[in-house]
Amino acid sequence: MMKRFKIISVLLVYFMVTSCAGKVEDKDINLGMTLVNRAVDYQLQGREKMASYTYNRAVSKFRDMGDFCNMSRTAIAVVTVDPETSLSLLEDARAFAALGRCSEETNIVNFLSHNDYNEKILPEPYKSISKFYKTGNIKYLLSIAKKGSSSEKLKSYAYRQAASHIVDNDPKYAIDLIEKADIIDSKNTWTLNLIKNEKIRLNALRAMGLPDDLSSQRLKILEQSLNDKY
């Protein structure tokens, strides 16, 4: 089980937790969903201890129901805030999915861990992200960002991932996309995302040959803010 997870870059708690273990009380499902969202919020705010504690509470809640598919989805939700999350959480998700014989969750885990997967049965937003990975076309990411049903976590991820992909070839547009992500991340005090945004902005400014002093200072202050939370 996770003792500590540090997210460096995707995705969201887009993945809504739903029951796959028979009928359970709505209040229990709602509590589990609330805990999952809180865990991801804490992580993006840089509050790792609270994130880890809340993640374990969410997993325990679904475990008490015998709901292994939602246990897997809890781990997936945290992993998909950022595709570069620690492998331990992907292994949590894989193990829980195996125990619950959860085919959809297993397919998602295979996608996130770069193993063989079936794109046809991937749910959104993973299907669109898969198409982006295969084609390199950021239109698939921007379609996620502009979709009204996408969570703010997912929109922030999509804008940032698109900006990161084009920063060398179109740094001006990359900055435009990062500013859209900044609005979301600033409102939600997601310091980890703001740091990632600033790093992309810094690369874009350098690619254009523009002064980067202010961006560098902002990055230092944001990183110090994150350190102060530990």
Side-chain angles (χ1 to χ4, degrees):
M1 195 59 66
M2 176 184 64
K3 294 181 180 178
R4 179 176 182 269
F5 54 89
K6 186 172 183 179
I7 296 178
I8 311 168
S9 134
V10 38
L11 288 172
L12 48 132
V13 179
Y14 169 89
F15 211 96
M16 293 301 290
V17 180
T18 56
S19 176
C20 64
K23 292 183 178 180
V24 294
E25 292 293 332
D26 287 345
K27 64 179 182 181
D28 291 327
I29 288 291
N30 290 337
L31 176 56
M33 291 171 61
T34 297
L35 289 169
V36 174
N37 278 283
R38 284 180 183 172
V40 176
D41 274 331
Y42 286 138
Q43 178 61 28
L44 294 180
Q45 292 166 6
R47 302 170 64 184
E48 287 194 3
K49 290 182 180 179
M50 284 300 299
S52 182
Y53 170 73
T54 309
Y55 166 83
N56 287 323
R57 282 188 63 199
V59 170
S60 296
K61 187 65 181 177
F62 291 121
R63 181 194 62 199
D64 292 345
M65 302 178 202
D67 191 343
F68 293 102
C69 295
N70 272 338
M71 290 168 69
S72 179
R73 288 189 176 214
T74 297
I76 288 170
V78 179
V79 171
T80 53
V81 174
D82 188 326
E84 298 175 16
T85 304
S86 66
L87 292 177
S88 62
L89 283 181
L90 276 177
E91 291 311 306
D92 277 0
R94 190 187 306 281
F96 297 148
L99 288 169
R101 298 178 180 176
C102 315
S103 57
E104 184 172 90
E105 289 75 13
T106 297
N107 193 46
I108 294 169
V109 171
N110 286 337
F111 166 63
L112 293 174
S113 55
H114 307 293
N115 292 325
D116 290 338
Y117 64 94
N118 186 341
E119 184 180 88
K120 291 182 180 179
I121 62 173
L122 273 178
E124 291 293 350
Y126 302 106
K127 183 175 289 186
S128 292
I129 295 166
S130 174
K131 290 178 180 177
F132 161 68
Y133 286 161
K134 288 182 176 180
T135 66
N137 193 328
I138 66 170
K139 72 177 184 180
Y140 295 109
L141 295 173
L142 297 182
S143 69
I144 295 171
K146 295 174 182 178
K147 187 177 295 185
S149 60
S150 295
S151 70
E152 290 201 319
K153 296 180 181 71
L154 181 53
K155 290 178 180 180
S156 170
Y157 158 75
Y159 282 130
R160 184 166 44 259
Q161 188 78 352
S164 178
H165 186 69
I166 65 170
V167 67
D168 292 329
N169 296 324
D170 195 349
K172 187 177 184 301
Y173 187 30
I175 289 178
D176 290 342
L177 294 175
I178 281 301
E179 288 176 352
K180 293 180 185 294
D182 267 343
I183 292 171
I184 298 171
D185 298 325
S186 178
K187 180 179 68 174
N188 291 284
T189 64
W190 291 336
T191 310
L192 279 178
N193 282 352
L194 289 169
I195 288 173
K196 297 174 210 172
N197 296 347
E198 203 60 52
K199 287 179 178 179
I200 295 171
R201 181 182 287 106
L202 192 59
N203 288 338
L205 290 171
R206 289 171 177 171
M208 291 188 289
L210 297 176
D212 61 17
D213 292 351
L214 288 178
S215 182
S216 296
Q217 288 299 316
R218 282 197 298 265
L219 180 58
K220 288 180 182 178
I221 291 171
L222 287 167
E223 288 176 333
Q224 183 57 53
S225 172
L226 192 63
N227 291 334
D228 291 343
K229 295 179 182 181
Y230 292 153

